């Protein structure tokens, strides 16, 4: 299981209405819109920001996606400098 | 000839003689700006032969022409589109969203929309019904306050809506209709005077509404979640990609403060009633 | 009549405090000229560095600031693209050397502040070209459809392959295997440049300091297109000021001599001193004694000096356009043996005539 944190040059905005998270990467210049499919997101993000570190399993449960989609998403988010592996 | 749109001034050199009276009828009442023009623009023949043979005109911003030439008859429409292009590609000190902006009781509603959504007809209708017209094409948003500023420009109407607006508001001031442009028939409506314009001040955005005209439809109102609004609004911002994090933070601020809706409408009076009763406080 | 001379334009860049009292009408013209010569954002950065930006009129501030935001985004984008390219090509064991704008941005030299970069240039070994091209093409980099003539030009004569662009991000990439056309007989031995590379941000390779400067000089003085020449000369001014040391000048002199670009180095130094007031380096007297002649005086002071002026209708006069035309002819002359040159120019000028008659867009392929 991979652990991640936000890329130091990425910003995140957690939606007040619990609809999801918007991300922006200053490096790639891209935005990502991750739709919340699970109540867990709202509970974990009471402080209105992403937790400092999170795992693939966390992402999978927030977004309610299968393993294959998860793998694609992880790669895309890393490639476009939204998140980095946390060691 | 200097065209003053309030926030931006354009020095129009070498305009075709045909368009000078139209420019004067739309912008003639504006006070000349007290600084030099922000953009040097002209509408001129792209080549020597094209002055005589199927005459065409190109729009130039300083030394360059960003679009394909158009038939001479569409010169004024080309000038208006060219002015939008100048602003959208140069002013990165503000967030510029492709949207109409209308204001009532010092509260601004922005209407980002795709072509064919009935946005301009709605804009003309509201502007002629006592709302303050801030823009038909572009919401100009301050990156610190998040307030939207007015622009002194006409409303660009297309096809059937030209005659509809003329019927509804017989006293309205229109340019001639430019036939068969790439957007169909086009005419510009002068929906406010300079005197009204200078009363308009930067204003807080209270709602972001994505309109869609559906013939004979009852008014349908869908509330949008913040993430959907974030995505759509950022895709409608001309310079979101250039502003980077500044643009991201501003879109975040707007969608968290404003009411967010998508509407389908068949009758403009229903929309006005909804906006006046449920949105504007 | 030009409203500004080369030296005046240069003085605003090296001493931006001189623009504080400029009347607004002249500011408007200066902004147009600097925007057209891709120097508006650089001008913003020099005025910030010299602490005079705040003293400029609001009208000037808003245009300079807007340009700087665009340039900053571009800078971030170039860093990202370069790093992504490095990672992509590492998979086929190729480590490209980044050139020109990407080089400046990666090495974070002073001239990279506000530098507008229209494409990314990389250098790879000639025998790697095919692999590199196919690796790029399988990663969303594509080339435009070229005319048969242009395709043949690139494949047979050029020092680079046809430009590639990224399908999603629209970034343009030039892949070189040399700095100059092999067919000219003047392309330098690339090993002299690639043996001293430096590793910078994100693990990318760039040319060494002297190599960077000499490449900029070759690019400027051997090129037929002088459109961005003023900006390119300003780049070199900032680079030599930043890297200036007796060791730097000695390396530059040796490299220029080994690659036979000493004459171009001499031209460049004379122009730098005349236009940007660059301090005379220790290597200059030797170069002058070797290359100063009636011809080179005339060529530098009349042709290059006039031709280098930014290309803008406010600055245009007969002398500038004639000089640019002569530089255009010379640029082609240097590149190709005469029989190829004549057919190349004939095709280029035929296209030019059609454009003049019918307007550029008439020729666009649908």
């Amino acid at each position: 299981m991979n652990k991640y944190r936000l890329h130091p040059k990425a910003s995140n905005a957690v939606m007040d209405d619990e609809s999801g998270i918007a991300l922006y990467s200053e490096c790639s210049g891209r935005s990502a819109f991750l739709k919340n499919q699970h109540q867990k997101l709202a509970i974990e993000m009471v402080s209105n920001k992403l937790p400092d570190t999170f795992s693939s399993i966390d992402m999978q449960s927030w977004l309610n996606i299968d393993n294959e989609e998860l793998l694609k998403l992880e790669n895309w988010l890393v490639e476009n400098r939204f998140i980095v592996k946390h060691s | 000839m200097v065209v003053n749109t309030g926030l931006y001034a354009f020095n129009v050199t070498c305009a075709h003689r045909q368009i000078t009276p139209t420019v004067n009828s739309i912008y003639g009442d504006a006070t000349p700006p007290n600084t030099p023009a922000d953009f040097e623009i002209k509408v001129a023949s792209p080549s020597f032969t094209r002055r005589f043979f199927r005459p065409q005109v190109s729009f130039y911003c300083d030394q360059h022409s960003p679009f394909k030439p158009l038939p001479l008859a569409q010169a004024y429409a080309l000038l208006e589109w060219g002015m939008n292009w100048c602003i959208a590609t140069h002013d990165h000190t503000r967030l510029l969203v492709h949207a109409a902006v209308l204001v009532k009781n010092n509260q601004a509603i922005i209407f980002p929309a795709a072509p064919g959504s009935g946005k301009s007809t709605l804009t003309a209708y509201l502007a002629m019904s006592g709302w303050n017209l801030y823009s038909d094409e572009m919401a100009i948003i301050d990156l610190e306050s998040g307030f939207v500023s007015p622009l002194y420009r006409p409303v660009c109407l297309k096809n059937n809506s030209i005659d509809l607006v003329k019927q509804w508001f017989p006293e309205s001031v229109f340019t001639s209709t430019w036939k068969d442009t790439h957007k169909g028939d086009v005419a510009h409506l002068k929906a406010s005077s300079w005197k009204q314009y200078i009363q308009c001040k930067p204003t807080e955005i209270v709602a972001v509404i994505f309109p869609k005209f559906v013939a004979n439809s009852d008014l349908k109102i869908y509330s949008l979640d913040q993430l959907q609004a974030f995505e759509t609004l950022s895709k409608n911002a001309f310079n979101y990609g250039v502003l980077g994090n500044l643009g991201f933070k501003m879109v975040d601020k707007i969608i968290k403060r404003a009411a967010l809706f998508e509407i389908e409408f068949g009758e403009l009076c229903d929309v006005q009633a909804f906006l006046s009763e449920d949105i504007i406080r | 009549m030009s409203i500004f001379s080369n030296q005046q334009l240069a003085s605003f860049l090296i001493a931006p405090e001189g623009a504080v009292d400029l009347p607004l009408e002249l500011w408007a013209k200066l902004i147009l000229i600097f925007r057209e010569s891709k120097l508006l954002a650089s001008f913003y950065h020099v005025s910030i560095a010299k602490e005079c930006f705040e003293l400029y009129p609001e009208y000037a501030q808003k245009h300079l600031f807007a340009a700087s935001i665009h340039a900053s985004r571009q800078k971030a984008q170039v860093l990202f693209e370069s790093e992504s390219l490095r990672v992509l090509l590492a998979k086929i064991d190729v480590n490209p050397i980044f050139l020109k704008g990407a080089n400046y941005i990666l090495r974070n030299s002073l001239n990279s502040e506000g530098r507008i970069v229209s494409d990314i240039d990389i250098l790879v070994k000639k025998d790697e070209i095919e692999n590199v091209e196919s690796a790029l093409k399988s990663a969303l980099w594509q080339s435009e459809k070229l005319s048969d003539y242009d395709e043949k030009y690139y494949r047979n004569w050029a020092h680079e392959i046809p430009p590639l662009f990224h399908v999603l991000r629209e970034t343009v990439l030039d892949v070189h295997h040399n700095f100059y056309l092999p067919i000219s007989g003047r392309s330098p031995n690339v090993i002299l440049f690639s043996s001293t590379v430096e590793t910078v941000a994100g693990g990318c390779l760039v040319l060494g300091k002297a190599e960077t400067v000499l490449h900029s000089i070759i690019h400027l003085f051997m090129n037929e297109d002088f459109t961005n020449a003023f900006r390119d000369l300003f780049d070199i001014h900032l680079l030599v000021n930043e890297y200036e040391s007796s060791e730097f000048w000695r390396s530059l002199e040796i490299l220029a001599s080994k690659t036979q670009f000493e004459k171009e180095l001499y031209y460049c130094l004379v122009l730098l001193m005349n236009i940007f007031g660059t301090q005379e380096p220790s290597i200059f007297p030797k170069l002058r004694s070797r290359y100063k002649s009636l011809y080179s005086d005339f060529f530098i002071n009349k042709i290059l000096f006039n031709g280098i002026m930014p290309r803008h209708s406010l600055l245009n006069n007969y002398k500038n356009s004639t000089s640019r035309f002569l530089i255009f002819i010379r640029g082609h002359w240097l590149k190709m043996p005469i029989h190829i040159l004549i057919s190349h120019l004939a095709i280029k000028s035929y296209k030019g005539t059609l454009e003049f008659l019918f307007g550029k867009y008439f020729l666009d392929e649908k």
Side-chain angles (χ1 to χ4, degrees):
Chain A
M1 186 184 68
N2 291 319
K3 274 221 156 231
Y4 294 103
R5 60 194 157 78
L6 208 61
H7 190 285
K9 284 192 173 171
S11 310
N12 73 101
V14 174
M15 300 298 112
D16 299 339
D17 61 1
E18 301 171 7
S19 53
I21 315 163
L23 298 171
Y24 175 75
S25 162
E26 193 72 54
C27 297
S28 67
R30 303 191 80 139
S31 300
F33 303 98
L34 306 181
K35 205 167 163 55
N36 177 20
Q37 302 285 10
H38 200 289
Q39 281 306 312
K40 201 173 165 215
L41 178 66
I43 300 159
E44 295 211 349
M45 295 188 192
V46 276
S47 59
N48 255 11
K49 56 177 215 220
L50 273 179
D52 289 340
T53 64
F54 45 89
S55 68
S56 325
I57 306 291
D58 290 333
M59 287 207 289
Q60 189 165 28
S61 76
W62 300 335
L63 307 169
N64 195 19
I65 49 179
D66 64 32
N67 285 339
E68 199 185 326
E69 281 176 300
L70 177 70
L71 191 67
K72 263 197 226 160
L73 180 71
E74 282 179 63
N75 285 338
W76 189 81
L77 290 174
V78 170
E79 230 169 71
N80 286 289
R81 319 283 195 276
F82 291 104
I83 56 175
V84 284
K85 281 216 171 99
H86 181 76
S87 46
Chain B
M1 176 171 46
V2 174
V3 169
N4 190 3
T5 69
L7 283 180
Y8 313 95
F10 296 82
N11 191 22
V12 187
T13 57
C14 226
H16 252 272
R17 252 162 305 152
Q18 280 103 317
I19 68 173
T20 314
T22 313
V23 173
N24 281 330
S25 71
I26 298 290
Y27 297 103
D29 58 345
T31 320
N34 49 18
T35 54
D38 296 292
F39 301 101
E40 292 285 317
I41 59 176
K42 66 181 176 184
V43 170
S45 301
S47 74
F48 184 70
T49 350
R50 285 296 189 177
R51 276 186 221 168
F52 311 105
F53 166 66
R54 283 192 285 159
Q56 285 189 327
V57 283
S58 275
F59 172 83
Y60 292 85
C61 174
D62 197 20
Q63 313 287 297
H64 298 283
S65 175
F67 328 115
K68 297 210 172 214
L70 290 178
L72 177 60
Q74 300 170 16
Y76 183 76
L78 181 62
L79 181 78
E80 284 285 343
W81 295 328
M83 286 159 66
N84 289 339
W85 181 89
C86 288
I87 299 168
T89 52
H90 289 94
D91 188 5
H92 306 307
T93 63
R94 305 170 170 105
L95 179 67
L96 307 174
V97 182
H98 185 207
V101 185
L102 287 129
V103 171
K104 199 170 191 180
N105 297 348
N106 287 322
Q107 296 165 57
I109 302 179
I110 70 172
F111 299 92
S117 59
K119 174 197 66 166
S120 290
T121 322
L122 172 64
T123 306
Y125 182 86
L126 293 175
M128 300 300 285
S129 315
W131 290 62
N132 288 323
L133 171 67
Y134 271 42
S135 179
D136 167 40
E137 287 279 2
M138 221 183 275
I140 297 172
I141 299 164
D142 185 278
L143 287 171
E144 275 170 31
S145 65
F147 283 21
V148 59
S149 291
L151 203 56
Y152 190 53
R153 301 288 296 278
V155 178
C156 175
L157 289 163
K158 280 142 238 157
N159 302 324
N160 299 338
S161 56
I162 301 169
D163 285 333
L164 282 176
V165 174
K166 283 181 181 172
Q167 276 169 32
W168 297 330
F169 309 102
E171 75 285 13
S172 56
V173 181
F174 267 91
T175 63
S176 317
T177 300
W178 329 108
K179 296 275 183 194
D180 301 321
T181 74
H182 65 285
K183 300 187 179 183
D185 294 352
V186 161
H188 290 82
L189 162 72
K190 182 175 169 66
S192 62
S193 67
W194 181 255
K195 233 169 143 178
Q196 290 167 314
Y197 169 78
I198 52 171
Q199 302 300 319
C200 299
K201 299 283 173 268
T203 302
E204 187 177 358
I205 299 167
V206 298
V208 180
I209 296 178
F210 298 86
K212 194 176 167 203
F213 172 75
V214 178
N216 306 317
S217 165
D218 289 334
L219 181 66
K220 291 182 188 134
I221 301 161
Y222 307 97
S223 108
L224 272 183
D225 69 46
Q226 289 181 350
L227 194 71
Q228 285 170 310
F230 201 121
E231 185 167 2
T232 321
L233 196 58
S234 63
K235 285 187 176 148
N236 276 286
F238 296 106
N239 60 353
Y240 177 78
V242 177
L243 293 180
N245 210 20
L246 292 172
F248 180 81
K249 295 268 186 264
M250 183 42 66
V251 173
D252 187 37
K253 195 164 167 178
I254 294 167
I255 54 127
K256 282 181 179 160
R257 282 185 189 171
L260 310 166
F261 294 102
E262 199 174 284
I263 56 171
E264 271 179 32
F265 65 95
E267 293 294 336
L268 289 164
C269 51
D270 296 344
V271 182
Q272 198 198 352
F274 163 64
L275 299 177
S276 308
E277 287 157 26
D278 296 325
I279 304 293
I280 301 296
R281 294 175 289 265
Chain C
M1 243 311 265
S2 298
I3 47 164
F4 297 111
S5 68
N6 269 332
Q7 282 102 339
Q8 278 170 315
L9 289 173
S11 76
F12 292 124
L13 294 169
I14 49 185
E17 59 278 12
V20 168
D21 296 321
L22 213 58
L24 282 182
E25 290 65 35
L26 283 181
W27 261 114
K29 296 188 162 81
L30 188 66
I31 287 166
L32 290 175
I33 293 166
F34 277 160
R35 182 183 288 141
E36 179 63 23
S37 28
K38 305 194 172 114
L39 281 165
L40 199 55
S42 307
F43 186 36
Y44 167 83
H45 284 283
V46 294
S47 71
I48 290 288
K50 292 276 170 79
E51 294 175 2
C52 52
F53 179 75
E54 298 295 330
L55 304 175
Y56 289 165
E58 200 191 322
Y59 171 82
Q61 286 190 10
K62 72 178 177 194
H63 285 288
L64 267 58
F65 182 56
S68 80
I69 290 181
H70 188 250
S72 307
R73 184 60 240 149
Q74 230 187 16
K75 188 170 179 172
Q77 202 68 33
V78 168
L79 287 170
F80 172 71
E81 294 286 1
S82 307
E83 214 181 307
S84 307
L85 278 167
R86 184 190 67 73
V87 171
L88 175 71
L89 295 180
K91 290 181 194 157
I92 54 162
D93 287 323
V94 170
N95 205 353
I97 300 171
F98 290 84
L99 308 173
K100 297 194 245 179
N103 174 0
Y104 307 146
I105 286 175
L106 285 163
R107 61 167 46 252
N108 202 21
S109 50
L110 282 175
N111 66 325
S112 74
E113 297 285 347
R115 178 67 157 64
I116 300 293
V117 180
S118 47
D119 44 23
I120 292 183
D121 296 272
I122 58 172
L123 178 76
V124 298
K125 296 192 188 85
K126 195 167 181 203
D127 57 13
E128 292 170 343
I129 279 269
E130 250 176 69
N131 278 344
V132 167
E133 193 173 354
S134 64
L136 289 167
K137 285 196 168 161
S138 58
L140 297 178
W141 291 92
Q142 299 292 326
S143 53
E144 299 267 3
K145 197 175 162 289
L146 292 179
S147 70
D148 291 349
Y149 180 79
D150 284 345
E151 185 76 32
K152 192 174 144 201
Y153 171 87
Y154 277 108
R155 300 297 174 185
N156 294 350
W157 300 328
H159 53 303
E160 58 191 331
I161 62 172
L164 299 166
F165 65 94
H166 193 277
V167 178
L168 300 179
R169 301 194 293 265
E170 291 173 17
T171 317
V172 178
L173 173 66
D174 281 335
V175 182
H176 306 248
H177 55 78
N178 202 313
F179 297 139
Y180 197 64
L181 284 86
I183 199 169
S184 65
R186 288 207 58 188
S187 55
N189 181 357
V190 200
I191 306 224
L192 292 170
F193 287 81
S194 56
S195 54
T196 52
V197 289
E198 295 173 19
T199 307
V200 288
C204 295
L205 297 183
V206 295
L207 297 175
K209 289 173 180 145
E211 291 75 10
T212 294
V213 171
L214 191 67
H215 179 226
S216 307
I217 293 174
I218 295 173
H219 181 69
L220 174 55
F221 290 93
M222 302 299 284
N223 202 339
E224 76 282 0
D225 178 11
F226 243 44
T227 310
N228 296 318
F230 193 80
R231 189 270 312 260
D232 294 349
L233 190 68
F234 183 55
D235 271 333
I236 301 171
H237 167 77
L238 289 179
L239 287 168
V240 301
N241 264 5
E242 185 175 356
Y243 296 138
E244 204 266 336
S245 74
S246 51
E247 194 197 328
F248 163 79
W249 286 115
R250 207 165 36 244
S251 316
L252 183 59
E253 186 189 21
I254 293 169
L255 186 67
S257 148
K258 278 188 186 161
T259 53
Q260 297 178 329
F261 285 106
E262 268 185 318
K263 193 168 66 186
E264 285 72 20
L265 173 60
Y266 170 71
Y267 293 165
C268 184
L269 292 176
V270 176
L271 283 178
L272 281 174
M273 294 182 322
N274 280 353
I275 296 174
F276 286 98
T278 315
Q279 216 181 349
E280 180 181 311
S282 52
I283 60 169
F284 185 71
K286 201 165 110 194
L287 287 167
R288 182 177 49 203
S289 66
R290 200 171 301 163
Y291 293 105
K292 187 178 161 61
S293 67
L294 278 178
Y295 166 76
S296 72
D297 282 353
F298 174 81
F299 183 64
I300 297 170
N301 297 327
K302 301 292 175 204
I303 312 275
L304 290 176
F305 185 86
N306 290 319
I308 208 161
M309 177 161 258
R311 196 172 188 164
H312 192 282
S313 54
L314 289 166
L315 303 172
N316 261 358
N317 60 34
Y318 169 71
K319 277 193 286 185
N320 298 342
S321 46
T322 313
S323 300
R324 270 196 294 268
F325 180 69
L326 292 173
I327 290 164
F328 178 80
I329 298 288
R330 172 183 173 271
H332 280 291
W333 177 266
L334 290 172
K335 276 181 177 173
M336 291 183 181
I338 187 78
H339 68 281
I340 294 173
L341 172 70
I342 287 169
S343 72
H344 184 68
L345 278 183
I347 284 185
K348 289 270 172 218
S349 69
Y350 166 70
K351 285 187 175 165
T353 316
L354 284 181
E355 280 178 15
F356 172 74
L357 281 175
F358 293 102
K360 190 161 62 165
Y361 304 101
F362 189 81
L363 296 172
D364 278 354
E365 283 176 38
K366 283 273 144 56

